[in-house]
């Protein structure tokens, strides 16, 4: 990069400015007496990213480099150290009541993404939100920086694209044009956090067609440019073009000086050296869509690319997240692989995907995968969360054992929000024994709010209630169904021998004494769960006396062995000690309660099966209707786009006809 002191070329830059507290947009701080506000055709002056001229000391690029500059530090978690010595002269306050956004904010803002795949998912969310505008695909692939041959990341869709105003909102902070309740994005911050988390620089190409107006824009958000030139505020150069039917060409919307200054920054700091190379990027965009190229990708602590493009030609991996165990079933399971395989993660990223929309990773379609399809012995549990006494929603949770259970030590819930996976395999129980092992569930919880990085939920009371309920579901399901996959039924444990028994059938009277004088000589017998209290705080002396001696019937005298055996059974417990009468009464009560519980459990399971069948039927119908609605919406957008294209051709033919008529007349 070179500077020319004799030839001062002032750059028209896009300065990102925050809003006032009252919601109005701030005006640009005059840097010197010559600084004036620029314009972009009919661009509104209230845009969050306004056109202003930077002072001469901030810029002055007169030639473009053949090598794309790289950031000072290539490791993301160390790239936040801004070198103040490189800064240009700091700007003095002029009394205006707004603040600049320093370039360091780009890095600190991106640290919300602890996981690189979470940043990639943010970019895909933008493409999925464009399904309502006719998007049919999104491409995630490896590309090459033509200046230095380094690897870059490409994300491209055929959605509605962005007009000049939308491009400035995309590059700004806190602006979102997504008003639909089904839209995933909402904060107006995802593009900046995701792109800056994956690489130091990003260039965006977007083409938009609406109301017979066809525009295309190019924007550059470069952390490298800002740090290497020492800017103290975020500057974003943008080029805007509009199609003119009269010339059948795209013409610039900015004035010549403004256009040249922005173009010079783009050619200096982007992967492309000429305007022709920049415009060639629109060749495969089509009539509408957006292409995002992230370059100067971050390195890991081993000085390797954080995203591994080489190990698998059809996937993108995170090498440091690969953790192998001795169990092949565990290693190959989706619950293990999603953390380091982008293809696996994208397959479960959305709960529903219309058939007309495809995700292409490294040139191959990502097959959609529903976690609920991996479960056996499925159950559907209805949960109605409440807050302040009001019912918030109705959530149906699908729960079951993994098909590989009990061979896999995996459990947890895949929790979605507005069709988007927020918490994959959220583990809500953790026991030292096998309880909960292999139990997995899936649900869509739209009543709790996700965090900005969409990898967790806000810690609210509703989330705490949800976590508690999911834990209860896991335990309840395990207790009722663990025997189906080979675990021992823990509900039918052998009753323990009371501690008040001594060898020979004698009872330790000290065990019946209570420190309280009022309860002396009394004992509380714990009743079985769900069974009414029997002998509660009763005096042991009042218990019916059951003889410990065998009762020999006359008709059994001829069988002394049977008589002895029966007496032994009535007299001796399983450990060889005699069992007092009241203990046998208690065991009988417990057995009756167990049989009653088993009968009730059978009825509940039958009822659950009926509800499960109904729920499954409603779920299938609902999904079919949603897919039909999405398909119809997509077809409608295609028809609308075709209609607009035909109208444009008709208008162009009318223009040609008029020109021919004038030529004939002349």
């Amino acid at each position: 990069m070179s500077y020319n002191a004799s030839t001062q070329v002032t750059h028209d830059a896009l300065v990102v400015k925050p809003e006032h507290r009252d919601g109005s947009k701030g005006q640009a701080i005059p840097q010197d007496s010559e600084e004036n506000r620029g314009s972009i055709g009919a661009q509104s002056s209230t845009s969050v990213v306004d056109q202003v001229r930077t002072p001469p000391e901030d810029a002055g690029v007169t030639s473009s480099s053949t090598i794309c500059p790289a950031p000072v530090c290539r490791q993301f978690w160390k790239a936040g150290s801004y070198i103040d010595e490189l800064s240009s002269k700091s700007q003095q306050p002029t009394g205006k009541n707004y603040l600049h956004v320093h370039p360091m904010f780009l890095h600190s803002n991106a640290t919300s993404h602890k996981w690189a795949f979470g940043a990639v998912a943010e970019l895909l969310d933008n493409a999925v939100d464009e399904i309502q505008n006719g998007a049919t695909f999104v491409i995630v692939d490896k590309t090459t920086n033509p200046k230095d041959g380094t690897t870059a990341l490409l994300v491209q869709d055929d959605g509605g694209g962005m007009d000049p105003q939308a491009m400035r909102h995309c590059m700004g902070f806190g602006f979102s044009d997504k008003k639909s309740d089904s839209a995933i994005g909402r904060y107006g911050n995802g593009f900046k956090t995701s792109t800056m988390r994956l690489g130091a620089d990003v260039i965006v190409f977007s083409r938009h067609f609406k109301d017979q107006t066809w525009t295309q824009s190019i924007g550059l958000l470069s952390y490298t440019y800002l740090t290497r030139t020492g800017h103290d505020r975020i500057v974003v150069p943008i080029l805007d073009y509009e199609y003119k039917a009269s010339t059948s060409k795209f013409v610039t919307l900015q004035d010549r000086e403004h256009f040249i200054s922005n173009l010079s920054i783009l050619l200096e700091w982007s992967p492309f050296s000429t305007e022709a190379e920049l415009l060639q990027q629109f060749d495969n965009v089509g009539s509408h869509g957006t292409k995002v190229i992230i370059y100067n990708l971050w390195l890991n602590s081993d000085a390797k690319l954080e995203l591994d493009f080489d190990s698998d030609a059809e996937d993108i991996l995170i090498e440091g997240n690969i953790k192998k165990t001795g169990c092949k079933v565990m290693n190959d399971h989706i619950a293990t692989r999603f953390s380091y395989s982008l293809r696996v993660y994208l397959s479960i990223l959305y709960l529903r995907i219309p058939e007309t929309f495809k995700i292409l990773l490294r040139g191959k379609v990502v097959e959609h995968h529903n976690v609920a399809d991996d479960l056996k012995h499925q159950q559907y549990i209805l949960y109605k969360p409440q807050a302040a006494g009001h019912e918030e929603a109705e959530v149906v949770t699908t729960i079951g054992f993994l098909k590989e259970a009990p061979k896999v030590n995996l459990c947890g819930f895949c929790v979605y929000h507005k069709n988007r996976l927020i918490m994959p395999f959220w583990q809500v129980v953790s026991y030292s024994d096998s309880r909960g092992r292999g139990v997995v569930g899936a649900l869509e919880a739209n009543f709790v709010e996700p965090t900005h990085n969409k990898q967790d939920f806000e810690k609210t009371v509703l989330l705490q209630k949800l976590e508690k309920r999911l834990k209860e579901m896991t335990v309840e399901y395990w207790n009722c169904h663990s025997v189906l996959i080979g675990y021992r039924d823990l509900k039918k444990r052998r009753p323990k021998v009371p501690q008040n028994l001594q060898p020979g059938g004698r009872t330790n009277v000290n065990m019946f004494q209570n420190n309280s004088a009022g309860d002396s000589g009394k004992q509380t017998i714990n009743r079985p769960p769900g069974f009414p209290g029997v002998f509660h705080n009763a005096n042991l002396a009042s218990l019916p006396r059951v003889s410990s001696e065998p009762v020999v019937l006359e008709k059994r005298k001829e069988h002394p062995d049977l008589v002895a055996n029966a007496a032994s059974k009535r007299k001796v417990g399983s450990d060889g000690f005699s069992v007092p009468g009241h203990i046998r009464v208690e065991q009988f009560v417990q057995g009756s309660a167990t049989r009653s519980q088993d009968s009730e459990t059978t009825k509940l399971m039958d009822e659950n099966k009926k509800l499960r069948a109904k729920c499954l039927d409603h779920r299938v119908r609902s999904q079919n209707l949603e897919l039909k609605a999405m398909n119809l919406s997509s077809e409608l957008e295609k028809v609308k786009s075709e209609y607009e294209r035909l109208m444009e051709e008709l208008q162009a033919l009318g223009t040609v006809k008029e020109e021919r008529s004038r030529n004939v007349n002349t």
Side-chain angles (χ1 to χ4, degrees):
M1 176 174 170
S2 61
Y3 293 84
N4 192 333
S6 61
T7 304
Q8 294 184 352
V9 180
T10 60
H11 282 189
D12 292 342
L14 305 175
V15 182
V16 180
K17 300 176 295 181
E19 295 184 22
H20 285 289
R21 296 176 69 91
D22 60 0
S24 61
K25 315 293 186 297
Q27 304 297 320
I29 295 180
Q31 306 300 332
D32 52 41
S33 59
E34 297 180 357
E35 183 176 11
N36 299 305
R37 177 181 298 275
S39 62
I40 310 177
Q43 174 73 23
S44 172
S45 61
T46 61
S47 171
V48 67
V49 185
D50 289 330
Q51 296 284 350
V52 297
R53 293 183 180 179
T54 59
E57 64 267 24
D58 276 353
V61 178
T62 58
S63 63
S64 61
S65 172
T66 58
I67 300 178
C68 186
V72 176
C73 179
R74 295 299 306 280
Q75 294 184 20
F76 174 75
W77 297 107
K78 297 180 180 179
S81 301
Y82 200 84
I83 303 177
D84 293 327
E85 288 77 5
L86 297 177
S87 318
S88 57
K89 184 176 69 175
S90 69
Q91 310 301 324
Q92 299 299 324
T94 58
K96 298 293 183 179
N97 56 344
Y98 70 86
L99 301 175
H100 289 308
V101 179
H102 196 277
M104 284 185 64
F105 180 70
L106 289 176
H107 181 269
S108 59
N109 190 41
T111 57
S112 63
H113 284 291
K114 310 301 181 188
W115 186 38
F117 285 172
V120 177
E122 285 273 12
L123 298 175
L124 264 70
D125 291 342
N126 292 333
V128 171
D129 283 339
E130 286 296 306
I131 292 177
Q132 61 183 349
N133 294 325
T136 60
F137 69 83
V138 58
I139 297 172
V140 181
D141 208 341
K142 170 186 175 181
T143 188
T144 303
N145 186 333
K147 278 189 177 179
D148 56 15
T150 57
T151 300
L153 179 67
L154 168 69
V155 181
Q156 180 178 342
D157 66 70
D158 65 339
M162 295 180 285
D163 60 14
Q165 177 75 7
M167 175 68 83
R168 282 151 182 78
H169 284 178
C170 173
M171 296 296 188
F173 294 90
F175 279 80
S176 177
D177 298 327
K178 301 175 182 178
K179 306 301 181 183
S180 173
D181 292 337
S182 61
I184 302 172
R186 58 174 300 180
Y187 297 113
N189 195 37
F191 176 80
K192 278 74 61 179
T193 60
S194 58
T195 54
M196 293 294 100
R197 173 61 183 86
L198 297 170
D201 310 290
V202 58
I203 186 168
V204 184
F205 304 86
S206 192
R207 182 174 281 174
H208 179 78
F209 181 80
K210 186 178 182 181
D211 299 332
Q212 304 301 317
T213 302
W214 199 5
T215 62
Q216 62 186 28
S217 300
I218 306 173
L220 177 69
L221 183 60
S222 175
Y223 187 65
T224 303
Y225 161 62
L226 298 173
T227 54
R228 295 282 288 271
T229 58
H231 276 75
D232 65 346
R233 54 180 173 170
I234 298 176
V235 179
V236 182
I238 295 180
L239 303 179
D240 298 307
Y241 300 83
E242 184 176 350
Y243 182 78
K244 297 298 182 182
S246 58
T247 60
S248 300
K249 293 182 179 179
F250 281 94
V251 298
T252 62
L253 289 176
Q254 295 107 322
D255 60 82
R256 186 64 180 171
E257 182 183 2
H258 180 193
F259 176 80
I260 291 298
S261 65
N262 278 350
L263 178 61
S264 63
I265 301 176
L266 278 162
L267 299 184
E268 178 75 17
W269 299 94
S270 80
F272 308 100
S273 301
T274 65
E275 183 184 3
E277 290 182 5
L278 287 170
L279 297 178
Q280 284 177 1
Q281 298 303 309
F282 288 103
D283 291 348
N284 61 355
V285 172
S287 60
H288 51 80
T290 301
K291 176 190 289 188
V292 177
I293 299 177
I294 306 171
Y295 57 103
N296 285 328
L297 300 176
W298 298 116
L299 307 179
N300 59 22
S301 57
D302 296 329
K304 298 179 181 179
L305 283 179
E306 188 175 14
L307 298 178
D308 180 8
F309 296 88
D310 300 327
S311 297
D312 191 335
E314 296 181 349
D315 202 352
I316 299 176
L317 307 178
I318 299 180
E319 183 180 2
N321 284 20
I322 301 177
K323 297 179 181 179
K324 298 289 185 178
T325 65
C327 179
K328 185 179 185 302
V329 178
M330 286 276 292
N331 295 335
D332 295 340
H333 198 275
I334 191 173
T336 303
R337 294 170 56 212
F338 83 89
S339 63
Y340 65 83
S341 170
L342 183 60
R343 179 170 294 276
V344 173
Y345 177 57
L346 297 184
S347 70
I348 61 173
L349 183 60
Y350 301 104
L351 190 60
R352 299 171 296 275
I353 286 290
E355 295 179 357
T356 56
F357 187 83
K358 303 297 181 184
I359 301 176
L360 291 96
L361 176 62
R362 306 294 298 273
K364 183 179 179 180
V365 175
V366 175
E367 297 295 336
H368 179 254
H369 188 88
N370 193 331
V371 176
D373 295 338
D374 292 338
L375 306 180
K376 58 185 177 181
H377 308 303
Q378 289 186 8
Q379 297 291 319
Y380 300 91
I381 302 176
L382 179 64
Y383 172 51
K384 298 181 179 181
Q386 293 186 354
H390 299 286
E391 185 177 302
E392 294 293 326
E394 289 188 358
V395 180
V396 177
T397 301
T398 305
I399 189 172
F401 282 112
L402 290 172
K403 293 179 179 178
E404 299 84 357
K407 296 180 181 179
V408 293
N409 187 19
L410 298 170
C411 63
F413 290 83
C414 289
V415 188
Y416 292 79
H417 178 84
K418 292 185 177 180
N419 195 43
R420 161 73 141 82
L421 179 61
I422 304 299
M423 299 183 70
F425 297 97
W426 180 24
Q427 189 171 340
V428 295
V429 296
S430 180
Y431 294 110
S432 58
D433 55 14
S434 59
R435 281 182 296 170
R437 178 171 175 169
V439 179
V440 169
L443 67 152
E444 186 174 19
N446 295 334
F447 59 93
V448 286
E449 292 297 327
T451 55
H452 280 220
N453 63 3
K454 296 187 181 71
Q455 297 299 308
D456 199 353
F457 288 103
E458 297 290 350
K459 306 302 181 184
T460 61
V461 175
L462 281 174
L463 182 65
Q464 294 174 359
K465 291 182 177 180
L466 175 62
E467 182 177 7
K468 180 181 178 182
R469 184 66 189 103
L470 293 180
K471 182 177 180 179
E472 292 173 350
M473 288 182 192
T474 303
V475 175
E476 291 169 0
Y477 180 86
W478 170 266
N479 291 338
C480 292
H481 300 84
S482 59
V483 293
L484 300 178
I485 61 172
Y487 286 99
R488 184 166 56 91
D489 189 359
L490 300 179
K491 295 184 298 181
K492 298 182 179 180
R493 290 178 177 175
R494 182 178 298 172
K496 297 181 179 180
V497 178
Q499 297 179 359
N500 62 329
L501 296 183
Q502 294 180 350
R506 294 188 300 275
T507 302
N508 186 354
V509 295
N510 295 329
M511 297 296 298
F512 297 101
Q513 296 178 354
N514 194 296
N515 293 333
S516 173
D519 292 335
S520 177
K522 296 182 180 180
Q523 179 191 28
T524 300
I525 301 177
N526 295 328
R527 64 181 182 273
F531 200 80
V534 181
F535 314 128
H536 183 67
N537 285 339
N539 194 323
L540 291 178
S542 64
L543 286 173
R545 294 185 176 274
V546 180
S547 174
S548 60
E549 298 296 328
V551 179
V552 183
L553 301 180
E554 290 295 329
K555 63 180 180 180
R556 300 181 66 182
K557 287 182 179 180
E558 64 274 21
H559 302 287
D561 295 337
L562 295 178
V563 173
N565 187 33
S568 175
K569 287 183 178 179
R570 287 194 297 269
K571 181 177 180 180
V572 182
S574 60
D575 57 353
F577 298 152
S578 61
V579 181
H582 70 277
I583 297 300
R584 292 202 299 275
V585 171
E586 182 181 357
Q587 292 177 356
F588 172 78
V589 171
Q590 290 177 345
S592 300
T594 301
R595 288 191 294 272
S596 176
Q597 285 182 333
D598 289 344
S599 176
E600 184 179 356
T601 300
T602 303
K603 293 180 181 179
L604 290 175
M605 291 182 67
D606 292 339
E607 186 67 23
N608 187 281
K609 289 180 180 178
K610 296 178 182 178
L611 293 175
R612 170 186 171 185
K614 291 181 180 180
C615 182
L616 180 60
D617 182 59
H618 288 305
R619 178 185 176 189
V620 171
R621 291 184 181 182
S622 176
Q623 290 180 348
N624 291 337
L625 290 174
E626 289 180 359
L627 289 175
K628 287 181 181 179
M630 289 183 178
N631 292 336
L632 289 174
S633 176
S634 178
E635 291 177 5
L636 181 62
E637 289 297 331
K638 289 181 180 179
V639 172
K640 183 178 178 182
S641 177
E642 182 66 16
Y643 172 77
E644 292 176 348
R645 187 185 65 81
L646 293 174
M647 289 298 297
E648 181 184 357
E649 291 182 359
L650 180 62
Q651 184 179 4
L653 290 174
T655 303
V656 172
K657 186 177 180 180
E658 291 177 0
E659 291 179 355
R660 288 182 178 178
S661 299
R662 286 196 296 269
N663 293 336
V664 171
N665 293 333
T666 56

